[in-house]
Each structure stands twice: as C-alpha cells, then as structure tokens.
Amino acid sequence: MSEPDSGSDLASVRTRAAEVEDGWRLTGTKVWTSVAHIATAVVVLARTDDAGDRHAGLSQFIVDLPHPAVSIRPIITIDGAHHFNEVVFDDAVIPAGGLLGRRGDGWRQVTAELGNERSGPERILSTLPLLREWARPENLGDDPVAHAELGRLVSRLVALRRLSLSVAARLAGGESPAVAAALVKDLGTEFEGDVVDAVRRHVRPEPGGGGLAAMLAKAVLHVPAFTLRGGANEILRSIVAKDLSS
C-alpha cells in the first residue's frame, strides 16, 4: 500500500494499473513491503480510474513473483536486518485474473484489511519476550518499584488483549470496526514502547551476547518504528477524533 513521499496518506496512490488486452499493466513504486524478497506473490493497491473522490477509483491486484518487470530492492533497518523492501513495477503486465475483488473497490477492501492488521496481536506483543524475560525472578529481583511497574504493564496487556479479541470478533461477524482497530493500535504500540522504557529504568542495555540486556538493546532500536508501522499514531487519532465529532 505505502508509496514514497506519501507518509501515512494511503489515498495518495500514484501506482497505476491500466487495462490491456487480457490483463493489466502496473507502473509505480511501493515501499516498506514486508518479505517481498522471499514472497511468491504481493498484493498491490493501484489506481485504475480517475474519479473526483480520491478514495474512489482504486483497485487491488495479486502479482505473482518473481516477475521480469518487478524489481525488489532491500531496505535495511537500523539493526542491520532485511525485512522491508522497495518494490518497483516497470510496466509489469499481469493476467486479468490478478484483479483482487472488484474494480474500484480497493479502498473499502484496504480499510477492512487495515482493521484486521491494526488490531492484531503483533501490535501488542512485539516486546512481550522482553517483558517475560524481565519478569523472571533472577532478573526482576526484590525491587518493589520494579514489581509495581511490572504489575501495571501486565494489567494493560490483559486489557489490550481483550480489546484485540473484541475487534477480531466484530471482523469475523462482518463488521468494519475501523475506529476500534485504530484505538487498539494506538494503545498497543504505546504499550510496546512503555515496556522498553520500564525495563531500561532497571537494566542497562548491552548489545551482543544473550540474556535480558541484549534483548533490551535490540528492542531499543525498534522502539521508534512501533508507533509508525501500520499507520502513524497521529493519523489513527485523527480517525478516532473524526468519528467522535460526527
């Protein structure tokens, strides 16, 4: 979905899909595409029609990989890992059957998918291994402040899990709880960062090796991305505010 220079504005799609004989021709660039370098297919949001409403005229496509007209370039994160990619579609022709869903229905489909993604457990549990390791008696020690902080974090985690499950149930029931999903993602990613902050107040991060200090050092590198991936928290709060004001 994401494109260069677009930030969190998914409606500013510049990748285009033009209908050709027996298929579609895709032209454009996507960024932050997870594991595209090992994927056998990617789902692409592209503009198929010009309409007055920029949320209209969008469609989704499934593109099989590898493809001779699709280039995949690695985006290396601060920890040296290769998870994200830039994907360039250079007049990539795909069969007519590559259209996912209905033409022009891409925005509705994408927002439904984002509801599932934003409320999912991966937006809550990224730092759970760190929290569990810190909670081990030999790491937590007898510090009452640390015990109190751990208790507060665990209680938030339980509440967030229930929120995530409630959104999943509504999605399974055919609803589109975009606002609830935005709230879960906002609260969940703030929680993930708070776990790292809490542990840092009691443990010194040490890169390399193993154990709690090494886990903390790695988590510190990822904290800035927590509130960005899946939609920046500021954007999500605007979604919630718009709903409250309507």
Side-chain angles (χ1 to χ4, degrees):
M1 293 177 278
S2 300
E3 298 194 359
D5 305 318
S6 291
S8 295
D9 185 8
L10 292 181
S12 62
V13 172
R14 290 178 292 182
T15 296
R16 301 192 69 89
E19 196 168 12
V20 297
E21 186 177 359
D22 298 325
W24 299 86
R25 178 181 288 111
L26 270 64
T27 306
T29 302
K30 299 291 183 177
V31 291
W32 310 118
T33 307
S34 299
V35 299
H37 56 298
I38 58 174
T40 57
V42 291
V43 179
V44 182
L45 179 66
R47 189 164 299 283
T48 49
D49 303 279
D50 292 315
D53 182 355
R54 67 197 190 108
H55 295 103
L58 298 172
S59 305
Q60 284 187 302
F61 297 87
I62 298 178
V63 180
D64 290 330
L65 297 176
H67 189 291
V70 177
S71 302
I72 299 173
R73 304 164 182 167
I75 298 175
I76 306 302
T77 50
I78 193 172
D79 61 348
H82 176 198
H83 174 77
F84 296 115
N85 300 271
E86 178 185 66
V87 182
V88 180
F89 302 90
D90 186 11
D91 289 336
V93 177
I94 64 171
L99 176 65
L100 178 62
R102 295 182 300 176
R103 178 173 181 166
D105 204 27
W107 185 254
R108 185 196 62 80
Q109 293 173 196
V110 154
T111 52
E113 293 160 9
L114 284 172
N116 188 54
E117 177 187 358
R118 287 171 173 166
S119 63
E122 70 275 14
R123 303 304 181 198
I124 299 170
L125 304 179
S126 293
T127 52
L128 179 61
L130 176 65
L131 185 65
R132 288 170 60 93
E133 184 66 20
W134 183 45
R136 294 169 65 92
E138 60 268 30
N139 291 326
L140 193 63
D142 297 323
D143 183 354
V145 175
H147 281 256
E149 286 198 279
L150 176 62
R152 285 191 290 269
L153 288 169
V154 171
S155 65
R156 288 172 62 187
L157 175 60
V158 171
L160 285 166
R161 180 176 182 273
R162 294 302 306 168
L163 287 170
S164 179
L165 289 172
S166 70
V167 174
R170 291 177 63 183
L171 287 166
E175 298 182 49
S176 182
V179 175
L183 281 168
V184 175
K185 197 274 181 182
D186 183 3
L187 294 171
T189 53
E190 287 287 343
F191 164 78
E192 290 179 315
D194 289 346
V195 168
V196 178
D197 290 341
V199 178
R200 286 189 75 179
R201 284 192 284 270
H202 302 276
V203 179
R204 180 183 178 86
E206 294 289 348
L212 178 60
M215 291 178 67
L216 176 59
K218 185 173 182 180
V220 167
L221 295 177
H222 288 274
V223 167
F226 289 159
T227 57
L228 293 175
R229 62 189 187 189
N233 282 20
E234 291 79 7
I235 299 297
L236 300 177
R237 290 167 188 169
S238 71
I239 293 173
V240 175
K242 183 178 179 180
D243 181 76
L244 291 174
S245 63
S246 61

